[in-house]
Amino acid sequence: MNQPTQHDLPTYLNPDDLGPWGIYLEQVERVTPYLGKLGKWVETLKRPKRILTVDVPVELDNGTIAHFEGYRVQHNMARGPGKGGVRYHQDVTLSEVMALSAWMSVKCAAVNVPFGGAKGGIRINPRNYSQKELERVTRRYISEISLIIGPDQDIPAPDVNTNGQTMAWMMDTYAMKTGHLATGVVTGKPISLGGSLGRVEATGRGVFTVGVEAARELGLDLTGARVVVQGCGNVGGIAALLFHEAGAKVIALQDHTASIYAENGLDVPTILASNNPKVGLVGSNAGEIISADEFWELESDILIPAALENQITANNADRLRTKIVIEGANGPTTPEADDILASKGILVIPDVIANAGGVTVSYFEWAQNFSSYFWEEDVINERLGKMMREAYQATAAVAKQHNVTLRTAAFISACSRILEARELRGLYP
């Protein structure tokens, strides 16, 4: 009998331009030698379980009809329902959403929450549309993907340019489609609609928590430590604030409008309290405006990329002068840059650990929705801190055992958990 041909890439991908998915595939290749007998299942990680591309037609305020391209990718659900955010961005691509869904699979397994990885996106620049237009886009998108989501199937959450209001529209639309209210269909909801205390700050708090662990491991005193943060939203902004409160000096911040710098530290609470996302840091007058190149070349103790992917590349990695990189964003460092940073002795805490605070508290929110019993915020933060510390310490132990980077160590632990579940469940039929 002829053996089936093994294709390395699905036919819907362009082998000459894999985009972010190519970065993920390279990360899987690096971890494969450490998977042992589970390596026979590794191709499972290289193919999303399900990809849905939808047309999102809406009527704009001026009466014209606009069409937007939307995606929902479910990468692997061997360990539980899909979990992952939905981003609204004009540059969203299928490759990007595929990679983000795969990183969610790894992230959930790395911190050992019972979810698989999923992700969604719509190609739209939300700054160009009214609130009512965004509501129509959201409702139509959820209507189109409603067949594959649900509280025990796939649970969306906020991501870039989406928030609690977006989740409220999604939850309501799903309720209208199914005929019953299921608050657990999305997480990151407003508190009044079943959201969890601590969810908005969770990702930034998780970044801070693992940063504290790494600093302790390296013998770095946070008091007076110099911190540079890219991103001023719920991840970068919250992380910057927590490091500031811990006594560190946040010497630079960057958003989509500008990079600002102050040698003796920025007044982070004032900047965040007065920051208008539409104006950005360029209008804050809170520090010296510096160039993007100068931002990446600042000497610091901790650097936190908390914006978009592909920020630290082979083009700028060699210019970084820091001790610890904490990936608040998804996929901000390319594999080539990873190698450069490792050669410079810079500790990189990978995204699949560092920014897992969001999905961890999303798990708490989902559990609270099922029980209709809600926890106090100090309980949530305590449990989040415990899970993040344990995940970091376990990953660091694997890194030392195999003499690999924290990223490879996180992938070893996570991929082993995913593939063990796949092997135990077997193939149907």
Side-chain angles (χ1 to χ4, degrees), residues 144-277:
E144 296 292 346
I145 71 168
S146 61
L147 289 175
I148 65 169
I149 65 171
D152 55 359
Q153 190 173 3
D154 181 4
I155 307 128
D159 198 78
V160 175
N161 292 325
T162 56
N163 54 29
Q165 177 61 77
T166 317
M167 297 304 109
W169 292 330
M170 290 183 177
M171 184 188 76
D172 182 71
T173 304
Y174 184 81
M176 296 301 102
K177 292 281 289 185
T178 61
H180 68 277
L181 177 62
T183 56
V185 68
V186 295
T187 58
K189 302 180 295 296
I191 300 298
S192 58
L193 291 178
S196 176
L197 296 170
R199 174 60 184 87
V200 172
E201 303 85 3
T203 307
R205 186 174 295 278
V207 167
F208 171 74
T209 301
V210 297
V212 170
E213 286 298 299
R216 180 184 58 79
E217 191 176 82
L218 296 183
L220 173 65
D221 186 356
L222 283 183
T223 303
R226 295 158 300 174
V227 180
V228 172
V229 183
Q230 182 194 37
C232 295
N234 290 339
V235 183
I238 296 299
L241 181 63
L242 291 173
F243 275 108
H244 173 85
E245 291 175 348
K249 293 192 300 184
V250 179
I251 62 171
L253 288 170
Q254 183 187 85
D255 69 1
H256 65 284
T257 67
S259 304
I260 59 174
Y261 166 76
E263 181 179 356
N264 294 320
L266 296 162
D267 184 355
V268 176
T270 299
I271 291 172
L272 295 181
S274 60
N275 188 36
N276 182 341

Side-chain angles (χ1 to χ4, degrees), residues 225-231 236 240 243 248-254 259-261 266 290 294-306 321-322 324-326:
R226 295 158 300 174
V227 180
V228 172
V229 183
Q230 182 194 37
F243 275 108
K249 293 192 300 184
V250 179
I251 62 171
L253 288 170
Q254 183 187 85
S259 304
I260 59 174
Y261 166 76
L266 296 162
I290 61 175
E294 290 174 312
F295 175 86
W296 292 111
E297 293 170 2
L298 288 170
E299 186 173 352
S300 66
D301 297 298
I302 297 173
L303 171 63
I304 305 173
R321 297 189 295 163
T322 193
I324 304 171
V325 172
I326 312 174

Side-chain angles (χ1 to χ4, degrees), residues 316-339:
N316 65 0
D318 197 47
R319 304 201 306 271
L320 266 59
R321 297 189 295 163
T322 193
K323 297 173 183 175
I324 304 171
V325 172
I326 312 174
E327 294 185 335
N330 290 308
T333 309
T334 66
E336 296 82 6
D338 252 346
D339 293 338

Side-chain angles (χ1 to χ4, degrees), residues 132-151:
K132 280 297 183 183
E133 288 169 335
L134 292 176
E135 178 178 355
R136 293 179 208 128
V137 167
T138 300
R139 290 184 179 277
R140 183 59 187 242
Y141 169 73
I142 290 299
S143 295
E144 296 292 346
I145 71 168
S146 61
L147 289 175
I148 65 169
I149 65 171

